[in-house]
Amino acid sequence: MDTKTTITSLQHFIGGAWVDAEDGATFEDLNPLDDRLYTLAAKGSSADMRKAVGAAKEAFPGYKKTLPKERELWLLRVAEIMEQRKDELINCLVDEIGSPFQKAMFEFDKGLTMIRAAAGICRNVRGETIPSDAPGKFSMSIREPLGVVAVITPFNVPLIKTTRLVANALAVGNTVVHLPSEMAPHLTVLFAEIVAEAGFPPGAYNVVTGFGHEIGDDLTGHKDVDFVTFTGSSVVGQHINEICAKNKTPNTLELGGKSPTVILADADLNEVVPLAARSIYMFAGQACIGSSRFYVERPLYDEFVERFSMVATKIGMGDLRDPKTVIAPIISERQRKRVADHIQDAVAKGANIVAGGNWEGNRCQATLLTDVTEEMTVCKSETFGPVSSIYPIDSYEEGLEKANDSEYGLSSAIFTKDINKAFHFAQNIGAGMCHINGPTIHDEAHVPFGGNGESGVGREGTDADMEAMTELKWVTVQL
Ligand code: NAD
């Protein structure tokens, strides 16, 4: 099997071979820092997608029979090669999507953990024995892979999402067709090179690069796709959910967020303020679990606003390769407009900018708003930029009520020394994840990661994916 794509234009990886788009089309992948050309990539068409699904389908019967120890070894080799190619992956995260060095390092380390954790589930694809009411009948369930898994990933954490979802699907015996974000094709192509070098059989992992709005339906609506795992915006997630419902294709959807942080009067601001900054400014707020709402009990409100604003104003916005830099460029013109519109709309309707609000090139300063009201777009909609709002609350109960006043339900956090209130919050917040005395941004390979409502359907992580990407079969033996 070839292990490398060509340099001039990235190619698709289908059936173990690097191939151009069938019609030869390419598209431009830009560096978001200054919109200069980063690379060209094959622009997938319906025909390319059909070819990739065909390759994954053809590979499945053989791949399904591979031994746990083989899949475990291939995955561990992926981790080894990732370490050898660390600099390339880091450079790609910096130049292709504008990750500051510290975010790229964080993502690389998480990605490695995702692969190693996936290697651990290969031996854990288990059914159980079941007592039978029929005399002499031995009854059991066996767990089987589903077949072809479609993996669709977003631009913001392409390595974390790719390593987790592709590795978990392959670990339990599925073959994969991956459609990466059109803003991060190179990262995925590097990953495909690593998978190929690690020894996975041809067709086990296939990548088609291109535009989701053009070829996504050819993947999610394909009759030979047995499972869809999608991470991206709620609008696209809704569309995919409808397609999957029509075909009865099981799926998980990891979508947008408007995650709240509640800070009670007994919290220690020395601890809270740096974590609050991390919660929203990492990768310039382009994080689904970023905290875009802070509810602060009134005795701490003024001091929190003052101290948080001071930190926001000083947040690193220098060279992306400087380890102190936090603020990244906003990924695209469309997203920049969205962030700018949210700030302008809020100010026009009476919000107060207490930090940031201006742009330096394609980067928006770390921005904090107060006096935000319901009629402002920023109050309820996902901004996906370095923008957060701070609201005063008069009690814990008001904090919980306001935190729950959202169509989204992804991550959440509460800072307090009162364990009863903290646990009450964890049990009553309508989010998929809750962190007590920790930031909304937290993820691990083996946890049930995901959200409710507009934030998605289902959970991902080693255990959750193992269950979602396999099916139980009931088998009996009459003795
Ligand atoms: P997006 O929805 O624009 O794109 C995500 C992916 O969907 C891309 O690969 C795109 O090509 C593809 N796509 C577009 N139309 C499609 C279609 N019709 N069929 C199939 N695929 C299609 O999202 P984005 O801008 O890349 O990412 C940002 C969004 O992702 C934010 O809303 C963020 O909150 C969310 N996100 C969620 C999580 C999570 O775990 N919940 C993690 C990261 C990002």
Side-chain angles (χ1 to χ4, degrees), residues 152-157 161 164 179-183 210-217 219-220 230-237 239-240 243 253-257 286-289 331 334-335 382 384 408 410 433 449-451 455 460:
I152 303 169
T153 47
F155 78 86
N156 62 329
V157 276
K161 286 289 169 176
R164 165 181 269 168
L179 170 63
S181 166
E182 57 270 29
M183 259 97 59
F211 291 86
H213 64 269
E214 291 176 7
I215 53 170
D217 295 3
L219 178 61
T220 57
F230 170 78
T231 306
S233 58
S234 300
V235 176
V236 177
H239 173 73
I240 290 175
I243 292 180
L253 304 172
E254 299 294 343
L255 311 177
Q286 297 171 112
C288 55
I289 44 181
I331 190 76
R334 184 174 60 101
Q335 261 305 119
E382 184 181 47
F384 225 54
Y408 292 102
L410 195 54
M433 301 176 276
F449 186 98
S455 292
E460 59 184 41

Side-chain angles (χ1 to χ4, degrees), residues 352-418:
N352 202 8
I353 296 186
V354 292
N358 293 316
W359 290 72
E360 296 175 23
N362 290 341
R363 286 195 265 191
C364 177
Q365 293 172 340
T367 300
L368 283 177
L369 301 168
T370 57
D371 303 309
V372 169
T373 55
E374 295 226 336
E375 47 296 343
M376 301 173 190
T377 315
V378 77
C379 182
K380 295 278 172 79
S381 302
E382 184 181 47
T383 307
F384 225 54
V387 182
S388 198
S389 310
I390 315 175
Y391 305 84
I393 48 169
D394 286 311
S395 64
Y396 158 68
E397 288 73 18
E398 188 189 352
L400 174 63
E401 191 188 322
K402 294 231 163 96
N404 268 332
D405 186 15
S406 173
E407 292 182 323
Y408 292 102
L410 195 54
S411 188
S412 63
I414 183 165
F415 287 89
T416 177
K417 296 189 180 75
D418 185 330

Side-chain angles (χ1 to χ4, degrees), residues 27-300:
F27 69 97
E28 294 188 342
D29 177 22
L30 307 180
N31 179 328
L33 192 62
D34 51 11
D35 294 328
R36 69 175 181 271
L37 182 67
Y38 171 69
T39 187
L40 290 173
K43 184 165 175 284
S45 64
S46 304
D48 297 318
M49 198 51 98
R50 280 198 298 273
K51 201 161 129 192
V53 175
K57 188 182 179 207
E58 198 186 320
F60 177 66
Y63 187 70
K64 180 185 170 178
K65 291 198 202 105
T66 57
L67 302 173
K69 69 174 184 181
E70 292 177 294
R71 300 195 298 274
E72 181 185 67
L73 183 66
W74 294 326
L75 285 165
L76 291 174
R77 273 203 204 128
V78 167
E80 255 173 65
I81 303 167
M82 276 177 67
E83 286 196 293
Q84 288 157 14
R85 298 183 67 176
K86 178 174 179 177
D87 289 351
E88 260 176 285
L89 290 163
I90 297 281
N91 281 326
C92 177
L93 286 166
V94 174
D95 294 326
E96 184 172 45
I97 58 165
S99 302
F101 178 75
Q102 61 164 252
K103 182 265 189 183
M105 287 291 289
F106 166 84
E107 185 162 3
F108 176 81
D109 287 341
K110 273 275 178 258
L112 268 186
T113 322
M114 297 291 175
I115 297 287
R116 292 181 179 137
I121 54 175
C122 300
R123 294 170 188 276
N124 253 323
V125 187
R126 294 177 184 170
E128 58 188 2
T129 58
I130 306 166
S132 174
D133 281 340
K137 202 174 278 292
F138 187 85
S139 171
M140 69 194 118
S141 63
I142 56 175
R143 193 174 276 286
E144 298 183 317
L146 296 177
V148 177
V149 169
V151 175
I152 303 169
T153 47
F155 78 86
N156 62 329
V157 276
L159 189 57
I160 291 178
K161 286 289 169 176
T162 296
T163 46
R164 165 181 269 168
L165 296 163
V166 172
N168 288 347
L170 292 172
V172 300
N174 296 294
T175 56
V176 171
V177 178
H178 185 183
L179 170 63
S181 166
E182 57 270 29
M183 259 97 59
H186 188 210
L187 193 279
T188 308
V189 162
L190 286 178
F191 183 73
E193 289 180 0
I194 292 169
V195 167
E197 196 184 329
F200 277 93
Y205 178 50
N206 305 274
V207 176
V208 176
T209 55
F211 291 86
H213 64 269
E214 291 176 7
I215 53 170
D217 295 3
D218 296 310
L219 178 61
T220 57
H222 198 296
K223 65 174 180 24
D224 291 332
V225 166
D226 302 288
F227 187 82
V228 174
T229 175
F230 170 78
T231 306
S233 58
S234 300
V235 176
V236 177
Q238 174 72 34
H239 173 73
I240 290 175
N241 204 13
E242 285 164 18
I243 292 180
C244 288
K246 218 182 283 170
N247 298 336
K248 301 180 189 61
T249 311
N251 59 87
T252 51
L253 304 172
E254 299 294 343
L255 311 177
K258 192 80 193 168
S259 298
T261 297
V262 173
I263 299 162
L264 299 186
D266 64 354
D268 178 350
L269 287 190
N270 291 328
E271 285 170 17
V272 175
V273 171
L275 295 176
R278 180 179 161 76
S279 302
I280 180 64
Y281 297 129
M282 186 178 180
F283 198 39
Q286 297 171 112
C288 55
I289 44 181
S291 184
S292 44
R293 302 183 282 150
F294 287 88
Y295 299 105
V296 188
E297 240 185 328
R298 225 172 270 274
L300 283 189

Side-chain angles (χ1 to χ4, degrees), residues 426-475:
Q427 288 171 330
N428 289 283
I429 187 75
M433 301 176 276
C434 178
H435 301 290
I436 296 170
N437 293 330
T440 53
I441 294 192
H442 188 62
D443 188 9
E444 296 182 29
H446 56 294
V447 300
F449 186 98
N452 305 331
E454 286 296 308
S455 292
V457 176
R459 297 291 179 267
E460 59 184 41
T462 45
D463 293 357
D465 283 329
M466 199 269 284
E467 284 192 14
M469 295 177 180
T470 58
E471 189 55 281
L472 289 171
K473 183 181 280 172
W474 182 37
V475 177

